[in-house]
Amino acid sequence: MATIGYASLPVPAGGDGPAVPAGIAALAEAIDPHLKHNVADEAERDERLADAPLHTMAVAADGSVWVKTSSVSSTWVTVWEPDPAWRPVSLVAGLSSGSTPPGVRRYGNRVHVRGTVEKADGEVILGSPAFKIGDVPEDCRPRYTGRGAGGQTISGDPIVGLGRIEVLGEGSVVNDGTHGSIMWYTQDGTGSSWVGLDFSYWID
C-alpha cells in the first residue's frame, strides 16, 4: 500500500486489491499517534497512554498539554500547564504569618517561596545562630541546599537589612533543621521583627 504526506498515511495504490476494512484500519492506526488525546488529568494520561508511541500528545481538562518523549517508557514533556496553586509552609511553633502568608509554588524542578513571618509574641527573630522558620512540603525538598537573600527590617538597631534564607538539602543538619527545613541567618545581632522568604531554588 502506498503512503502519502509527512505522516506517511497509507492509501490504496492503483494495483491494490479491494480490502476496504483493512485499509481503513491501517489508516486509523497511522493517524492515531498524531491525534490530540483528551484525558482528565496526569494520572489518567499515565494510565491510558503509558505505552503510546513517541510524540503522542495528551491534553487535560485544565488545558495542560504534554508530549511523549520516549517510545519505551511513560516519559512526557510539559508544553503548557496552568499555574499551580500556592501551598502553605509549615511554620515552627511561635511563628506566625506576616503581611504576606508564607507559601511555595512548584513548577517542574523549580520551587518559588514567598511570604513574611514574625514571632507571635512580638519579639525579634534572631538569626545567629541559624534560626529554623519551618519546612517546605515533601515534594519541594531539594537535593542540594537552595539559598537566597531574605529581607528583614531596616528600622531600629539592625544595620544590615538582609539575611540569608536556605532550604536544606539531602543529609543537611543545621541546629534543629533537616532536609526541607527553611533556615534564616543574619549578621545583625539585635535580630529582626520580621523575615522575608521571597526566593526560589532547584530541587534536582
Side-chain angles (χ1 to χ4, degrees), residues 75-97:
T75 304
W76 301 78
V77 64
T78 300
V79 178
W80 184 86
E81 65 180 354
D83 290 337
W86 285 96
R87 291 182 283 164
V89 167
S90 175
L91 300 178
V92 299
L95 286 186
S96 61
S97 172

Side-chain angles (χ1 to χ4, degrees), residues 24 29 34 40 47 52 64 88 90 97 99 121 137 140 148 161-162 170 197:
I24 293 176
E29 289 181 355
H34 304 283
E47 180 181 355
S64 296
S90 175
S97 172
S99 58
D121 60 9
C140 294
L162 195 67
E170 294 176 357
L197 310 180

Side-chain angles (χ1 to χ4, degrees), residues 117-199:
V117 296
E118 55 192 32
K119 278 202 168 183
D121 60 9
E123 296 295 320
V124 296
I125 302 174
L126 296 173
S128 180
F131 181 83
K132 179 179 176 179
I133 290 175
D135 296 282
V136 298
E138 184 175 357
D139 67 313
C140 294
R141 295 174 184 172
R143 180 180 180 186
Y144 305 106
T145 296
R147 298 179 176 88
Q152 64 183 74
T153 182
I154 57 174
S155 62
D157 293 331
I159 58 174
V160 176
L162 195 67
R164 186 173 87 232
I165 289 288
E166 291 184 348
V167 176
L168 298 181
E170 294 176 357
S172 296
V173 177
V174 179
N175 295 341
D176 53 348
T178 57
H179 188 204
S181 294
I182 305 174
M183 309 298 295
W184 183 65
Y185 311 77
T186 181
Q187 293 178 306
D188 275 326
T190 53
S192 178
S193 60
W194 60 270
V195 172
L197 310 180
D198 300 286
F199 80 112

